Amino acid sequence: EYLGVFKQDSIWIMVPGETSPVTGLNTYVPVRRVGGIGCVANSSIVEINGNLIFLAEDGVYAFNGQSSTKIS
């Protein structure tokens, strides 16, 4: 639903904020969803059954938009 930003050690979601009165464009607020786990290979992120599967430093994880779970 929201744009996800995968960093090496965390996952952030960009949540819509207010509209800028100067430009008229929407602003977005970064909200950290997961800390301590992130993606180490950009090409490893795939969507399977509504989850984002990605490669972290210590294995493969699934991210459901709220939290991540180690799957291997």
Side-chain angles (χ1 to χ4, degrees):
E1 181 176 347
Y2 298 121
L3 174 65
V5 179
F6 286 77
K7 299 184 68 140
Q8 188 170 357
D9 62 350
S10 57
I11 301 172
W12 297 74
I13 301 296
M14 302 302 289
V15 179
E18 299 178 4
T19 301
S20 170
V22 177
T23 63
L25 300 174
N26 291 336
T27 60
Y28 292 86
V29 178
V31 176
R32 189 170 88 172
R33 294 286 185 188
V34 178
I37 300 168
C39 182
V40 296
N42 294 343
S43 298
S44 73
I45 302 172
V46 295
E47 187 270 330
I48 300 174
N49 295 330
N51 291 312
L52 295 175
I53 310 299
F54 63 95
L55 178 64
E57 287 184 359
D58 64 340
V60 178
Y61 284 78
F63 177 64
N64 65 8
Q66 298 294 322
S67 62
S68 62
T69 305
K70 187 172 184 176
I71 56 177
S72 75

